[in-house]
Structures are given as structure tokens and as C-alpha cells.
């Protein structure tokens, strides 16, 4: 059974996936609001160990650093979303979502390259894969947040 927080998180990920696919851009205002919402959620409702939340935020920080170093090889919006999910889910649940997202992304990349639908230099929007990774983990019972 889905919780309200899971439904809201999935809905936000799907809406931002659409924005990422069509516009290749994520509105910073929405990321700021969801970041604030994740922090408020953890303060008001969260029952997670603060160290797990800090670990999840640290993973997001590492992705933001990678975005800066690679001149947005991984977009800032994608990295910021990972930071937000880290605050919302904690480090271990975030790792489950990221494992699913990167696995599905690798399958899609191999498929598109094999079908010659894209070249190695093209980028793929990452938000849809975050949404799929989150969905898979909720369905598998791995994400309770």
C-alpha cells in the first residue's frame, strides 16, 4: 500500500521527468520547494536516524560536486534531486533508488546505442530513471519513506 508521502514523491518525480524530457531543464523553484519540503518532512514527521539523513544528503553533495567538476556531465538539477531524495529517504534507501535508476539507464543506453538511435556523445534525461528507480523500490517494498 502506498503512503501519501510516497505518492507525492512519485508524482513530483514524474512531473519533473516530463520537464526534463521536453525542456531538458528542471525549474530551480520547484527543486527549492521540494528541498524545503524534504527538510520539513524530516523535522516534523521523519522517524529516521539523523546520521542516515546526513549520509543521504552527503551523497547528493558528492553528485553536486561531480556536476561542477564535469561542467554538468551530470546536470545540477539531477544532482540536486539526488540531494533531495537523500534527505527524504536517507542514505541506504537512496542507494537502492540510485542502483535501480542507473541499472535501467544502462539498459536504455545499450538499447539506444544498439538501435543506432543515438550516439555516445548525446545525453539522456536522468529524471525519468530516478522516477523509475523510485517506483521499482516502492513496489519491491524497499522504500518506506
Amino acid at each position: 500500500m502506498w503512503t501519501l508521502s510516497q505518492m507525492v514523491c512519485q508524482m513530483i518525480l514524474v512531473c519533473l521527468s516530463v520537464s526534463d524530457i521536453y525542456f531538458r531543464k528542471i525549474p530551480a523553484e520547484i527543486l527549492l520547494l521540494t528541498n524545503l519540503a524534504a527538510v520539513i518532512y524530516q523535522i516534523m514527521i521523519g522517524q529516521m536516524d539523523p546520521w542516515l539523513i546526513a549520509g543521504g544528503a552527503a551523497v547528493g553533495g558528492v553528485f553536486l560536486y561531480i556536476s561542477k567538476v564535469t561542467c554538468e556531465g551530470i546536470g545540477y538539477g539531477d544532482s540536486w534531486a539526488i540531494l533531495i531524495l537523500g534527505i527524504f529517504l536517507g542514505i541506504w534507501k537512496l542507494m537502492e533508488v540510485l542502483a535501480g535508476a542507473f541499472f535501467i539507464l544502462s539498459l536504455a543506453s545499450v538499447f539506444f546505442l544498439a538501435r543506432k538511435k543515438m550516439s555516445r556523445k548525446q545525453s539522456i534525461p536522468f529524471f525519468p530513471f530516478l522516477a523509475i528507480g523510485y517506483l521499482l523500490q516502492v513496489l519491491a517494498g524497499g522504500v518506506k519513506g
Side-chain angles (χ1 to χ4, degrees):
M1 187 66 149
W2 286 69
T3 65
L4 180 61
S5 61
Q6 289 172 331
M7 286 188 279
V8 169
C9 183
Q10 187 67 51
M11 182 183 69
I12 291 168
L13 286 170
V14 168
C15 290
L16 291 176
S17 294
V18 171
S19 176
D20 198 15
I21 290 168
Y22 286 108
F23 305 111
R24 297 290 181 132
K25 187 175 180 180
I26 304 299
E29 299 82 14
I30 293 176
L31 289 173
L32 182 62
L33 288 174
T34 54
N35 197 323
L36 212 58
V39 170
I40 291 169
Y41 173 83
Q42 287 301 347
I43 291 170
M44 302 298 283
I45 300 170
Q47 302 167 350
M48 197 178 306
D49 183 0
W51 288 105
L52 295 177
I53 297 166
V59 170
V62 168
F63 273 90
L64 282 169
Y65 177 74
I66 291 169
S67 293
K68 182 172 176 63
V69 170
T70 62
C71 298
E72 286 198 75
I74 297 176
Y76 286 121
D78 300 326
S79 296
W80 196 354
I82 292 169
L83 173 78
I84 294 166
L85 282 172
I87 293 169
F88 179 63
L89 299 172
I91 188 169
W92 300 121
K93 293 175 187 175
L94 174 65
M95 290 300 180
E96 292 174 3
V97 170
L98 288 176
F102 283 120
F103 178 71
I104 300 297
L105 175 63
S106 67
L107 292 178
S109 298
V110 167
F111 175 78
F112 288 134
L113 287 171
R115 304 259 323 194
K116 307 236 191 268
K117 296 287 184 187
M118 62 185 304
S119 71
R120 292 181 351 170
K121 296 188 183 205
Q122 285 180 299
S123 64
I124 298 176
F126 186 61
F127 255 94
F129 297 99
L130 271 180
I132 292 168
Y134 183 79
L135 175 65
L136 290 175
Q137 293 309 317
V138 169
L139 293 176
V143 175
K144 304 288 187 216

